[in-house]
Amino acid sequence: QITFGSIFLGNVPVYEEVNRCAGHIVGYKGCIRDFQVNNKELFIIDEALGGRNIENCNVPICDYHPCRNGGTCTSDKENWFCECPKLYSGKLCQFTTCDENPCGNGATCFPKSRQDAVCLCPYGRSGILCSDAINISQPSFSGTDVFGYTSFLAYSTIPNITFYYEFRVKFQLANHHSALQDNLIFFTGQKGQGLNGDDFLVLGLRNGRVVYSYNLGSGTATISSKPLDLTLSIHVIHLGRYLQKGWLKVDDHKNKTVASPGRLVGLNVFSQFYLGGYYEYIPELLPNGSRFKNGFQGCIFDVQVRTSMNQEFKSPGTPEGHPNSGRSVGQCKDSPCSLIKCRNGGKCIESGSTVYCDCPTGWKGAFCTETVSVCEPEHNPPHLCKQGGTCVPLPDGYTCHCPLGTTGTYCEQG
């Protein structure tokens, strides 16, 4: 009998007796763990039509560390599977949503789930995929989002700031609670440049007050304003420094002054000028005394600076008023959610110019229009396949393809 279309693993049975008589050992000796044909995985035991002299591999697969991206391999002599960390999937934890980045125009892709991504839009862009151009004259910032990123603008280094500077800033708060707790307004500086480790200049909000700090390399000077008058819709700040002496004026409060400790008189900073937040918001990596836990929440506008008493005030940036980069910054009083329609009970979430649909249980996709398969990790309730069994969806449910050495409806039996 001749069978067409069969695939043999290890040896061809019709020649077995001939080879044995001739004294030759023909055929593979070892372990075959995964078998694919045209990118389709075949289950060696479940789909085999027959076999002989087959036994389990005796080298635990976990000795080969197959799991990627921090996955944990679990095995005994017969079975193995990868327990994947959050946001990774696949047999080897090899897949993540942003591998095939759907975001455009240099957006930051963040995997909202194993199936869906959120596009954190760069400066001047908005929309689900950051494909819409927006004009920003009064930038709005949304603080730290649920993914741990802040909205921010980054301008080129302000020149000639060493011995003298003055800033004028206006801002409007998004709310009177979280926006006043521990929020950055602007920052420039770096860790480890001064004699005492840090040179920086920072302005922020803490417990309802404006806080202005600087370090020239020999210690931090700090001025805190009186509590803000929350009946005002727009707040105005004027601050400056000449050598060691600094001053701060907020709204109609009296001018407050401070002098930095030590003998150093120059501010040596080489970093960009950050407004509203940072590119990577990790406060522990910033200089001591400059740390604010969250980015700004609200609108910051009319930012101006001069580095000499004889100069005119100018907007930061090169060319003037133009940031080098930014993320999730919108136009004040505009809502990107007004242009987005989430389906099937999805809720529109906006973070500056970044916008996405937060889908209810059972739905996924950019607009919550796709159903979650019974075999997907987000399905509620989850599938019941055990011990590394592969869930395969069916029209009326699912079945479990069991790994070698297991059986049962859910691969629960050895």
Side-chain angles (χ1 to χ4, degrees):
Q1 180 181 358
I2 300 176
T3 302
F4 293 96
S6 296
I7 299 175
F8 298 97
L9 291 182
N11 202 356
V12 182
V14 71
Y15 293 115
E16 186 177 279
E17 295 300 324
V18 175
N19 292 328
R20 183 181 299 159
C21 294
H24 298 293
I25 299 176
V26 179
Y28 177 73
K29 183 178 181 180
C31 298
I32 299 176
R33 302 186 185 280
D34 294 299
F35 183 43
Q36 293 184 1
V37 177
N38 294 333
N39 294 322
K40 180 181 183 296
E41 182 177 357
L42 299 181
F43 295 87
I44 296 175
I45 300 301
D46 289 359
E47 300 186 30
L49 300 178
R52 189 163 58 212
N53 299 329
I54 301 298
E55 60 184 20
N56 289 325
C57 295
N58 56 12
V59 179
I61 188 65
C62 289
D63 289 357
Y64 298 99
H65 307 291
C67 305
R68 305 175 192 172
N69 298 307
T72 301
C73 184
T74 301
S75 75
D76 53 28
K77 291 183 178 180
E78 298 180 352
N79 311 305
W80 71 277
F81 63 96
C82 293
E83 296 180 5
C84 299
K86 187 179 180 181
L87 306 178
Y88 290 96
S89 62
K91 187 172 183 179
L92 304 179
C93 308
Q94 71 271 42
F95 300 124
T96 184
T97 310
C98 289
D99 278 348
E100 298 180 3
N101 188 350
C103 306
N105 299 296
T108 300
C109 180
F110 190 88
K112 182 176 65 171
S113 70
R114 287 186 171 112
Q115 283 82 27
D116 293 332
V118 171
C119 300
L120 308 181
C121 295
Y123 176 73
R125 291 285 172 173
S126 186
I128 291 284
L129 299 179
C130 305
S131 55
D132 303 327
I134 58 172
N135 183 37
I136 298 175
S137 57
Q138 293 186 345
S140 67
F141 303 84
S142 53
T144 307
D145 61 28
V146 296
F147 310 113
Y149 289 90
T150 60
S151 54
F152 76 93
L153 291 177
Y155 297 86
S156 55
T157 304
I158 299 174
N160 305 317
I161 201 174
T162 305
F163 301 113
Y164 183 92
Y165 58 74
E166 281 186 82
F167 285 89
R168 290 176 178 171
V169 182
K170 294 180 182 179
F171 67 86
Q172 188 172 20
L173 297 170
N175 61 73
H176 289 158
H177 179 62
S178 60
L180 284 166
Q181 298 305 307
D182 202 343
N183 306 82
L184 176 82
I185 298 176
F186 67 64
F187 166 85
T188 184
Q190 59 278 315
K191 198 173 183 70
Q193 296 295 328
L195 294 179
N196 205 28
D198 306 313
D199 274 36
F200 68 83
L201 160 66
V202 69
L203 179 70
L205 294 166
R206 187 169 285 135
N207 299 324
R209 303 169 185 264
V210 174
V211 179
Y212 162 43
S213 295
Y214 58 92
N215 191 332
L216 309 180
S218 56
T220 300
T222 299
I223 306 175
S224 293
S225 74
K226 295 192 304 182
L228 290 175
D229 180 356
L230 301 183
T231 64
L232 299 176
S233 61
I234 295 177
H235 300 277
V236 179
I237 298 175
H238 184 196
L239 63 86
R241 181 190 63 86
Y242 175 59
L243 301 179
Q244 292 177 301
K245 183 179 179 180
W247 64 91
L248 170 69
K249 181 172 174 55
V250 177
D251 296 331
D252 59 353
H253 301 177
K254 291 184 178 180
N255 196 51
K256 299 184 75 172
T257 61
V258 71
S260 61
R263 297 183 178 181
L264 298 180
V265 296
L267 177 69
N268 300 302
V269 293
F270 314 107
S271 71
Q272 298 182 100
F273 177 76
Y274 289 92
L275 192 67
Y278 306 106
Y279 178 72
E280 292 293 344
Y281 197 88
I282 306 175
E284 288 74 22
L285 298 182
L286 299 174
N288 290 325
S290 70
R291 301 171 188 174
F292 288 85
K293 292 181 180 179
N294 297 293
F296 187 79
Q297 299 176 33
C299 302
I300 304 176
F301 45 92
D302 293 347
V303 180
Q304 294 184 316
V305 61
R306 68 179 182 181
T307 55
S308 169
M309 293 183 65
N310 301 320
Q311 284 183 344
E312 296 288 329
F313 279 92
K314 294 184 178 180
S315 300
T318 306
E320 182 182 347
H322 290 265
N324 294 339
S325 61
R327 178 180 58 224
S328 298
V329 174
Q331 170 67 4
C332 192
K333 298 182 180 179
D334 282 356
S335 171
C337 276
S338 63
L339 306 175
I340 300 299
K341 181 67 174 178
C342 302
R343 306 292 180 177
N344 298 303
K347 181 181 179 182
C348 183
I349 305 295
E350 60 183 60
S351 178
S353 61
T354 293
V355 61
Y356 64 93
C357 291
D358 186 22
C359 301
T361 300
W363 295 95
K364 66 177 182 176
F367 299 97
C368 307
T369 55
E370 305 169 41
T371 57
V372 177
S373 164
V374 68
C375 287
E376 291 177 319
E378 283 73 23
H379 189 271
N380 188 14
H383 66 78
L384 299 176
C385 299
K386 309 294 184 183
Q387 304 188 82
T390 302
C391 178
V392 179
L394 299 175
D396 56 350
Y398 65 94
T399 187
C400 298
H401 277 180
C402 299
L404 188 66
T406 65
T407 186
T409 303
Y410 304 114
C411 312
E412 74 276 12
Q413 302 174 18

